[in-house]
Amino acid sequence: MSTVFNRENHGRPAAPIRMIHLGIGNFTRAHQAWYTEHAPDAAEWGIAAFTGRRPDAARALEPQDGLYTLITRGADGVSYEVISSLSRVHEAGDLEALLGYFASPELAVLTSTVTEAGYMRATDGSLDVANAGVAADIEALRADPRAEVSTTPAKVVAGLLARREAGSGAMTILPCDNLPENGEAFARVITDCAREVDPGLVEWIEENVSFATCMVDRITPATTDEDRAEVAKECGYDDASPVPTEAFSEWVVAGEFPAGRPRWEEAGVTIVEDVTPFEDRKLWMLNGSHSLMAYAATIRGFPTVGEAIMDEEVRRWVNEWWDVAAKHLQVESDEYRQALLDRFENPNIRHLLAQIAADGSQKIPVRIVPALREEIKEGRLPDGPVRAIAAWTQHLRGHGAPVKDAQEELVKGLVGADLDETIANVLGFLGEDLAANADVAARVKTLALDLVPEG
Ligand code: CS2
């Protein structure tokens, strides 16, 4: 007979809430929440998590007191662990709870995984005040600092207003999105939003809020019914929302924590002065090859990373890309590359390329384009990065994995009457320098036709 899955039967009592997470999903549950669980002072550090675009996690986790099973699928074995660091899980719209946590002097850290789209940035990185949602939220907060708001920057600003009002002092904001310089990027939109709502808050933020930066890494597929059935069978209880993940995990953090943080370094977190070299390596090598496969390998009919990387041609494309990316990194990449191949080949992980294909408009610019620009600067135009752009172009035209993008209207608008027009639009979106370069367009076309022959 299975036991009920709750704190009384499994896991430690809920720790006092000293951290907020915005945008709870499988990734955070395999990563930040897992590191927090393993910190020696875990009993003092509970997380209050808020859902992102979908409320599913709150609905599944609330009845089981925030507990869930982490299924670690190593290359040669599987293990199960109950994670209990999520003391509470709220739906995204529960602003009363959010402001309550912000006002508490106990709160020390806010983390987020809201994807780049959640930052609501204009192309120059400032807050996109022309966005209707952002404008409405600013208007609402000017009238009432406890108004219902929906964008991430406005929620954080409402929280900081509540914290200032309560006199609860300093805290750290540590974004965990796959973006270069995520701390700085987040600081900019929060400060811009504060300036619009209440200019006096900007100074308070400067004095009280430390924006930290980090690189996060753990391959974490979506949960399937098979995962649920497996936990019921192996662990003897029903978990509505277990999380499958790989054994590898990395978190590199830089920044100040004036109100404290869990002793994450004792749980395997690397604390550094500068995250950039690690961020570039992870974003270009891992995420870049992921995106390349998500578009190019699905056109060849491969549904998962594991199947794609075993194909000789796909592996050649990935190696070509890695040869290019490696040239522009400041840290070693040979061992890293080998480790990546092992991770991609892990037979126990079924990571769908269609999942990785989502939100290409946010991914291609940060994963592929920087190294391509460096190459062009040095007078080269290698196939590695160009193929990723060619494959994304064909994906947008309906080939391979289905198109799913937070900027749906924008990506639909990139598709032109024919391949040439679409390439011109895609390059225009990626940067005027690329759009103005006829050699780039020609090479993208050749590789796009290699992937999807015409006529
Ligand atoms: C993937 C990432 O979905 C994607 O875009 O590239 O989620 C990747 O699995 C993680 O960043 C690994 O840490």
Side-chain angles (χ1 to χ4, degrees), residues 163-240:
R163 191 166 181 85
R164 182 182 65 175
E165 170 82 22
S168 292
M171 65 174 289
T172 294
I173 294 183
L174 172 63
C176 300
D177 295 288
N178 265 327
L179 267 185
E181 308 283 356
N182 48 22
E184 210 174 286
F186 209 65
R188 178 133 183 229
V189 291
I190 300 304
T191 311
D192 285 353
C193 185
R195 192 175 301 111
E196 295 287 333
V197 170
D198 174 352
L201 185 65
V202 175
E203 198 177 319
W204 186 88
I205 291 176
E206 272 163 21
E207 283 163 12
N208 291 281
V209 182
S210 159
F211 287 91
T213 296
C214 70
M215 178 279 265
V216 295
D217 189 9
R218 195 166 199 182
I219 291 172
T220 308
T223 307
T224 63
D225 287 340
E226 288 75 42
D227 295 323
R228 279 181 269 269
E230 182 181 323
V231 169
K233 180 165 172 273
E234 300 295 329
C235 306
Y237 52 78
D238 288 323
D239 181 346

Side-chain angles (χ1 to χ4, degrees), residues 27 178 216-220 246 282 286-287 290-291 343 351 355-356 358 363 367:
F27 176 74
N178 265 327
V216 295
D217 189 9
R218 195 166 199 182
I219 291 172
T220 308
E246 65 175 337
K282 191 259 168 171
L286 188 158
N287 297 115
H290 257 178
S291 290
R343 293 169 69 191
H351 198 186
Q355 182 187 340
I356 299 167
K363 294 175 178 177
R367 298 176 176 196

Side-chain angles (χ1 to χ4, degrees), residues 240-320:
S241 193
V243 177
T245 194
E246 65 175 337
F248 179 95
S249 187
E250 194 174 18
W251 195 6
V252 184
V253 178
E256 303 296 319
F257 291 82
R261 59 162 170 78
R263 276 163 36 215
W264 283 322
E265 65 277 27
E266 290 178 50
V269 176
T270 310
I271 309 290
V272 296
E273 287 288 315
D274 180 12
V275 170
T276 308
F278 303 95
E279 181 67 47
D280 287 351
R281 179 171 68 180
K282 191 259 168 171
L283 211 49
W284 300 353
M285 307 280 284
L286 188 158
N287 297 115
S289 61
H290 257 178
S291 290
L292 168 63
M293 288 189 277
Y295 306 121
T298 54
I299 293 174
R300 285 178 59 92
F302 297 110
T304 65
V305 173
E307 284 154 283
I309 200 67
M310 297 315 285
D311 178 70
E312 224 172 274
E313 178 120 44
V314 173
R315 191 184 280 252
R316 184 171 64 76
W317 296 340
V318 166
N319 275 312
E320 253 173 20

Side-chain angles (χ1 to χ4, degrees), residues 59 215 361 375 423:
R59 294 188 185 153
M215 178 279 265
S361 67
E375 288 288 299
I423 291 172

